[in-house]
Amino acid sequence: MVKPLTEEEVNSKTDPSVSKQYDESTPKEEQFKELYKIIDGLKGSLLTTIRPGVGPVSRSMAVAKRVGPDILYLANIHSQKFEDMKQDKTVQVTFQNSSNQDWVSISGTAVTTDNADPRIKQVYSKGVNAWFGDLGDGIHTGMPEDPRMALIEVKANYIAYWKTTSSMPGFIKEVAQASLTGQVADTGVNRQLFDKDIEVARESEK
């Protein structure tokens, strides 16, 4: 039997619920592949900006395109989030799969461009105009040429994500067993990707 730790011996290096928190064994290339699979399977996200005098402000946003570890959004340049990003370009993007508990958190820097960005036409898809409306002046049509339509590019600098490795019945069984035995539940893998890892992944997309 393993000798239990004393109160003084329990810390971030010995606490089993923390010391083995992140997956350090899976190759980074594989970690990125599985990250992309989670993101591409969800599309819907929360984009969080920092608003002066308020703090973090989140809103639901549909992903226009994922480019490697970076995220592109189409958005109305008149919306408050653009004012937020003028003051502080620090943003966070989160994804959550409620069916299996997978989640992704991307911390990064927002780069915004106006309607002159050619990528807008590339990522525009049918249905986007529903969020802009046609103002009937022949200019603000909700189409790619609409001057209100701008691009937000989130350049990632830190990514954390959770990949579930058990089915829902398996998840329930594992949590119940861990609760009864005092062990730490093992239902998936938690991973973190740092700036240097992200830059390598970004270069590989070119």
Side-chain angles (χ1 to χ4, degrees), residues 77-92:
I77 201 166
H78 295 149
S79 62
Q80 181 64 46
K81 53 184 165 285
F82 282 88
E83 290 299 318
D84 295 346
M85 291 181 287
K86 282 182 181 178
Q87 301 295 320
D88 191 335
K89 296 187 181 301
T90 302
V91 295
Q92 183 179 43

Side-chain angles (χ1 to χ4, degrees), residues 5-20:
L5 298 171
T6 65
E7 182 178 351
E8 293 76 16
E9 291 173 326
V10 178
N11 54 49
S12 62
K13 289 183 171 51
T14 60
D15 186 337
S17 67
V18 177
S19 60
K20 296 181 180 180

Side-chain angles (χ1 to χ4, degrees), residues 21-22 31-32 35 38-39 92-95 102-107 156-163 189-194 198:
Q21 181 177 10
Y22 292 107
Q31 291 191 36
F32 275 102
L35 166 70
I38 293 173
I39 294 175
Q92 183 179 43
V93 176
T94 54
F95 298 86
D102 286 351
W103 58 260
V104 177
S105 174
I106 302 174
S107 299
N157 54 45
Y158 174 77
I159 300 171
Y161 76 95
W162 174 269
K163 178 180 180 296
V189 289
N190 201 2
R191 293 167 175 164
Q192 56 182 345
L193 301 162
F194 295 95
I198 293 168

Side-chain angles (χ1 to χ4, degrees), residues 38-71:
I38 293 173
I39 294 175
D40 295 344
L42 294 174
K43 294 298 183 181
S45 68
L46 285 179
L47 172 65
T48 302
T49 55
I50 307 299
R51 184 163 299 169
V54 176
V57 177
S58 302
R59 76 282 292 159
S60 179
M61 295 280 290
V63 173
K65 186 177 182 180
R66 176 190 61 76
V67 182
D70 304 319
I71 305 296

